[in-house]
Amino acid sequence: MNAIQTLQQYIDESRRIVFFGGAGVSTESGIKDFRGVDGLYHLKYKYNPETILSRSFFLSRPDEFFEFYQDKIVQPTLNAAPNIAHKTLAKLEAMGKLTAVVTQNIDGLHQMAGSKNVLELHGSIHRNYCMKCGQKYDLEPVKNADGIPKCQCGGTIRPEVVLYEEPLDETVITKTVQAISEADLLIVGGTSLTVYPAAGFLDFYNGNRLVVINLDNTSYDSKAALTINGKIGEVLGQITL
Ligand code: APR
């Protein structure tokens, strides 16, 4: 059997699939990833992007943070639509075969495709709040802001996105560990698996059917029952549901 046929068999035989994904799931929707061949982190900036996307930079240089965040993170997602990878995963959940999508992405494309149980390890650009009064906002005031987004109370509106130096949400962690530990099939796609604690959650998988679908090799390939070096959308698009 070839790799796609093996993946098809695994999916047919599974009832508690978990998908664990990253920025590579959204590149076929036109959103750059970070470390891939033409990823965001390979472009030249005044500061290292992982410095800009950190809590200390956000607090000390909010104007420069929001300039980068707006230009490189928010604007590219505005016209992006879910691709076949997002849609296939939503279908698998609707069929009762997939229990959770665990994503490092903050673009909301899984929910737009119809996925219900999406565990967003790094938060979402669509959830924002005032740091002074706590007022919650959607993306509107952030995407339309010229500079630092401000609340009616005068406070700064910040995205509910996990910046470097910030902890992940405890509830999301608990749900992620539970879903992965109960999975019979864990499909990992479109992630370099280089950022922790996110990548470490894979170690809670107890099954023997880890599948990695990624353009580049990853450090988990050696533990996988099946690895496919290909485009996640093209691969999942070949699965018969
Ligand atoms: N199909 C499969 N794999 C792809 C595709 C695709 N269409 N496009 C890109 N890839 C692969 C790249 O080869 C790369 O290995 O997806 C991976 C994306 O890796 P990263 O850019 O490192 O993204 P990710 O793993 O999600 O980064 C994790 O880093 O900066 C932080 O918070 C940010 O959530 C992000 C975290």
Side-chain angles (χ1 to χ4, degrees), residues 20-28 31-37 39-41 49-50 53 83 103-106 122 161-162 164 189-195 198 213-218 228-234:
F20 182 100
V25 179
S26 293
T27 54
E28 291 165 82
I31 299 175
K32 279 185 179 308
D33 64 12
F34 298 101
R35 302 172 186 82
V37 69
L40 212 50
Y41 291 175
E50 292 175 314
L53 294 171
N83 63 56
T103 185
Q104 299 167 88
N105 297 345
I106 58 176
H122 295 159
V161 166
V162 180
Y164 281 97
T191 174
S192 61
L193 295 174
T194 51
V195 169
I213 305 169
N214 205 58
L215 281 179
D216 291 325
N217 295 332
T218 77
I228 303 176
N229 287 122
K231 287 189 165 188
I232 181 82
E234 282 177 15

Side-chain angles (χ1 to χ4, degrees), residues 19 84-93 98 101 110 115 236:
F19 179 79
I84 185 69
H86 300 104
K87 290 174 187 168
T88 304
L89 295 168
K91 260 194 219 144
L92 281 170
E93 182 188 50
L98 179 139
V101 167
H110 284 292
S115 288
L236 292 183

